[in-house]
């Protein structure tokens, strides 16, 4: 009595690998595209137009600014605003005074004061006007009207900011409603990549300083999503190749 032999292929591992690969890719797509979609809702990209905020940001830097309402602004924030008196174009400056604040410069040590309290401004660098440099090359004092903000550039020697508008109706300040966004991060150039710090010099004043938006979680979500998509896409073919390379097992029936 003759017998015939049969071969049974074990392709289960290959199919399981393909399923897992698909799940990883799907999870990566959710993180990647979800992160971008969430970021598009919360943030707007801007290109810094001038060096008035040097060294915090410089002309040509690409930044992400969180969409906020003017009521959310705190001292120390770097904001994007548009005001007709200032040229009706988007501008980027640092908020140093809120409604009712008395902002002045400079005290005996050359520091900016808010309501008589000196403020440390570590983001300022050499301003280039020589002598004992201070927080401003020109002295000034102003009381911020209700519903307004007093703004200065970090490059105090060359910034056209609230000091240049002290004779305007708003006494150099702009309405809170003029603010559309707050800078959260620099995304280009890569050597400047990072979150824009909140200056602690304003933290002791009423209201404190703002907290950064969710730019870090968004960046992690997009990065992790991209890694999962690439890794999952590579794992599928690899699992199939490993499955095909395994020796086939069979059982022969004899009679």
């Amino acid at each position: 009595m003759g017998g015939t032999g049969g071969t049974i292929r074990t392709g289960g591992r290959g199919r399981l690998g393909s399923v897992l690969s698909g799940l990883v890719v799907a999870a990566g797509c959710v993180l990647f595209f979800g992160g971008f979609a969430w970021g598009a809702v919360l943030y707007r990209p801007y290109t810094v137009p001038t060096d008035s905020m040097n060294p915090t940001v410089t002309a040509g830097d690409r930044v992400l600014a969180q969409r906020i309402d003017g009521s959310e602004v705190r001292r120390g924030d770097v904001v994007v605003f548009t005001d007709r008196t200032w040229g009706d174009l988007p501008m980027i400056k640092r908020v140093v005074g809120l409604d009712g604040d008395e902002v002045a410069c400079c005290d005996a040590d050359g520091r900016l004061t808010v309501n008589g309290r000196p403020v440390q401004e570590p983001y300022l660098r050499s301003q280039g006007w020589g002598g004992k440099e201070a927080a401003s090359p020109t002295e000034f004092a102003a009381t911020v009207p209700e519903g307004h903000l007093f703004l200065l550039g970090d490059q105090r020697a060359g910034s056209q900011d609230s000091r240049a508008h002290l004779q305007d109706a708003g006494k150099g300040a702009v309405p809170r409603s003029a603010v559309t966004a707050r800078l959260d991060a620099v995304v280009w150039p890569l050597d400047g990549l990072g979150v824009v710090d909140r200056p602690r010099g304003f933290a002791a004043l009423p209201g404190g300083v703002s907290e950064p938006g969710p730019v870090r979680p968004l960046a992690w979500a997009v990065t992790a999503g991209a890694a999962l998509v690439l890794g999952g896409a590579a794992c599928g073919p690899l699992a199939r190749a490993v499955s095909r390379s395994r020796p086939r097992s069979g059982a022969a029936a004899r009679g």
Side-chain angles (χ1 to χ4, degrees), residues 27-254:
C29 288
V30 170
L31 284 173
F32 186 81
F33 292 109
F36 266 115
W38 187 21
V41 171
L42 294 179
Y43 286 93
R44 289 188 63 183
Y46 287 93
T47 300
V48 179
T50 70
D51 277 326
S52 69
M53 283 300 297
N54 185 33
T56 302
V57 290
T58 59
D61 284 359
R62 271 66 166 182
V63 299
L64 289 179
Q66 185 182 7
R67 302 171 194 265
I68 63 168
D69 183 84
S71 62
E72 301 175 61
V73 175
R74 298 291 182 269
R75 299 179 191 88
D77 287 346
V78 178
V79 299
V80 180
F81 66 98
T82 304
D83 185 76
R84 184 175 301 174
T85 306
W86 293 47
D88 210 22
L89 294 171
M91 303 187 73
I92 298 175
K93 302 291 181 186
R94 188 181 297 277
V95 176
V96 298
L98 306 179
D99 331 52
D101 282 348
E102 294 182 3
V103 183
C105 197
C106 304
D107 69 1
D109 294 318
R111 294 172 296 184
L112 177 78
T113 64
V114 178
N115 300 325
R117 301 180 64 168
V119 177
Q120 299 294 337
E121 298 185 276
Y123 42 81
L124 298 182
R125 299 292 185 270
S126 175
Q127 302 291 298
W129 59 77
K132 184 181 179 181
E133 294 192 5
S136 173
T138 57
E139 295 187 354
F140 66 90
T143 300
V144 186
E146 286 299 316
H148 286 65
L149 306 166
F150 200 86
L151 304 113
L152 298 177
D154 288 356
Q155 179 53 266
R156 302 282 162 82
S159 174
Q160 294 294 309
D161 46 41
S162 287
R163 296 169 298 171
H165 295 273
L166 290 173
Q167 304 307 313
D168 296 346
K171 299 179 181 178
V174 301
R176 283 181 177 267
S177 59
V179 174
T180 57
R182 174 171 54 211
L183 261 66
D184 240 9
V186 178
V187 296
W188 186 265
L190 292 179
D191 59 2
L193 182 69
V195 174
V196 177
D197 292 331
R198 269 48 174 180
R200 307 314 301 175
F202 294 95
L205 294 169
V209 295
S210 64
E211 294 294 329
V215 67
R216 281 194 178 98
L218 283 171
W220 280 112
V222 171
T223 302
L228 288 173
V229 169
L230 294 175
C235 283
L238 180 61
R240 289 191 292 272
V242 170
S243 178
R244 285 195 297 268
S245 68
R246 291 179 180 275
R248 296 174 180 179
S249 60
R254 297 179 180 178

